[in-house]
Amino acid sequence: AQTEKKEREKRDRAVSSMNFTSMRARTSWTTWPRVSVLSCALTRPTSWGNASLSVSPVASRSRSRSRSLPRAVLCKARSSSPKERSPRGNDYSGERRLYGKNLQNAIKNSNSVNEILSIVAENESFLDHIHCVTAIYRMAKLTQSERRRNRGNKGGQQINLLNDDRFEVLKSSIESQINKFDSWATANLLYSFALLRCNPGYSLLDLLTGHAVSLGGLLSTVDVSNAFWAFSQLKYKPHPNVVQELWDVAAMNVSLADFRSIAGLLESSVKMGHKPSTASLTTINEYVMDNWIDITAR
């Protein structure tokens, strides 16, 4: 009995040893292809050249590789993203965006109309009403200086503003912010367009004139004088009632005006064909006579 028991235990140990061996063989056989595929994927050539990489140090090796790269190479790689585009589709990725005071100073310090228009187009989304007035006025002054330098010379270069998309950006910005302009800015815009000898379109002139009327007593005599001069230069004829309202405001505030503005107001009214009321002319006449000593030959 003891002999049979020992033989049975020996047989059981042999069977268990055979099962363990076969299981280990199956496990190694089914796992090996997965490891080989992963190894092949990791050892393919990369952008850094051919490399034979093991599974565990992959992440650390790639990180150390990027740390050792020159700064210029890293910057070039990071800048390979799609270029930024302005709201109008032009490529200005090489330019630095300006806003606020920096944008205002850039416009004021520009030396040409073309430069101002480029700044306006590049920073369209940052334009406020102050930038618009500064841009138009600066363009007008630069154009005036150019005309004086080239007086008698017909070879001077001129930009056709009405066919320039950048000028359209400026006009659109003025229209969208019309309610932000005060009396001085409104009159200055009209004056600057006249100085540019550029009629921006009767829709914009109507908009600016209507806004000026809505400001009422906030307009000074100087503002009305500049507006009237612009009307006469641009061959723009507002409705007679509009002209009369602006004239009445100028006459009401005449005591705060200088004589040059009064003279300009009277001259522009004559050119426009406006016939002021007797009462307003009497008010202006009395002010002039009371301060006759301050009037110069000019």
Side-chain angles (χ1 to χ4, degrees):
Q2 291 179 355
T3 304
E4 292 177 357
K5 183 177 180 180
K6 289 180 180 180
E7 289 179 355
R8 188 165 53 251
E9 290 177 353
K10 184 177 180 180
R11 210 166 36 246
D12 292 340
R13 284 197 299 272
V15 171
S16 62
S17 175
M18 289 175 60
N19 291 338
F20 175 77
T21 304
S22 62
M23 182 175 66
R24 183 174 59 188
R26 281 198 307 273
T27 303
S28 62
W29 180 83
T30 55
T31 309
W32 177 80
R34 300 177 186 175
V35 175
S36 64
V37 172
L38 180 62
S39 302
C40 292
L42 291 173
T43 56
R44 283 188 299 180
T46 64
S47 59
W48 310 115
N50 296 329
S52 180
L53 305 177
S54 60
V55 176
S56 57
V58 167
S60 61
R61 182 169 297 188
S62 62
R63 286 195 298 268
S64 62
R65 195 70 138 152
S66 63
R67 290 195 190 101
S68 63
L69 286 173
R71 185 181 297 274
V73 176
L74 290 174
C75 292
K76 184 177 181 180
R78 289 168 185 166
S79 64
S80 61
S81 58
K83 295 181 179 180
E84 297 179 359
R85 293 191 175 273
S86 72
R88 297 186 68 84
N90 298 322
D91 181 14
Y92 301 113
S93 58
E95 301 293 337
R96 183 169 61 90
R97 293 297 189 272
L98 299 171
Y99 58 91
K101 187 176 181 180
N102 290 333
L103 180 54
Q104 177 78 352
N105 290 335
I107 295 172
K108 289 170 61 177
N109 296 328
S110 298
N111 296 317
S112 68
V113 173
N114 189 62
E115 184 179 354
I116 293 174
L117 291 174
S118 296
I119 292 173
V120 165
E122 291 163 10
N123 303 280
E124 176 181 359
S125 57
F126 298 108
L127 286 175
D128 61 22
H129 59 294
I130 299 175
H131 299 141
C132 293
V133 177
T134 305
I136 294 292
Y137 182 75
R138 180 64 178 161
M139 288 166 58
K141 285 299 184 181
L142 288 171
T143 303
Q144 184 185 45
S145 299
E146 184 70 18
R147 281 198 300 264
R148 289 173 177 172
R149 285 196 298 269
N150 296 325
R151 185 171 296 174
N153 179 16
K154 297 182 180 180
Q157 295 183 352
Q158 293 184 353
I159 299 177
N160 191 347
L161 296 176
L162 297 180
N163 293 329
D164 196 314
D165 289 340
R166 299 171 298 176
F167 189 64
E168 288 297 323
V169 169
L170 196 51
K171 287 173 54 180
S172 299
S173 185
I174 293 172
E175 292 174 354
S176 64
Q177 304 182 78
I178 189 65
N179 292 326
K180 296 182 180 180
F181 296 112
D182 58 12
S183 58
W184 176 87
T186 305
N188 200 17
L189 281 171
L190 291 168
Y191 175 84
S192 298
F193 281 126
L195 201 60
L196 271 170
R197 297 179 182 176
C198 173
N199 187 327
Y202 291 111
S203 60
L204 181 54
L205 291 178
D206 288 341
L207 196 62
L208 288 169
T209 305
H211 181 62
V213 172
S214 69
L215 293 172
L218 296 176
L219 290 168
S220 67
T221 304
V222 178
D223 297 332
V224 177
S225 176
N226 287 337
F228 277 19
W229 181 80
F231 296 159
S232 65
Q233 295 297 310
L234 297 173
K235 310 300 182 186
Y236 171 64
K237 295 182 179 180
H239 192 276
N241 293 343
V242 171
V243 177
Q244 184 60 48
E245 287 189 43
L246 294 174
W247 172 270
D248 290 341
V249 172
M252 179 180 64
N253 296 325
V254 70
S255 60
L256 302 176
D258 59 282
F259 289 108
R260 182 178 181 181
S261 299
I262 295 174
L265 177 67
L266 295 170
E267 181 184 9
S268 299
S269 297
V270 172
K271 290 182 178 180
M272 292 172 57
H274 175 60
K275 298 179 179 180
S277 63
T278 303
S280 60
L281 287 176
T282 300
T283 301
I284 294 175
N285 181 66
E286 290 176 353
Y287 175 74
V288 171
M289 296 304 296
D290 291 341
N291 299 274
W292 186 261
I293 193 174
D294 297 326
I295 295 180
T296 62
R298 183 179 180 181

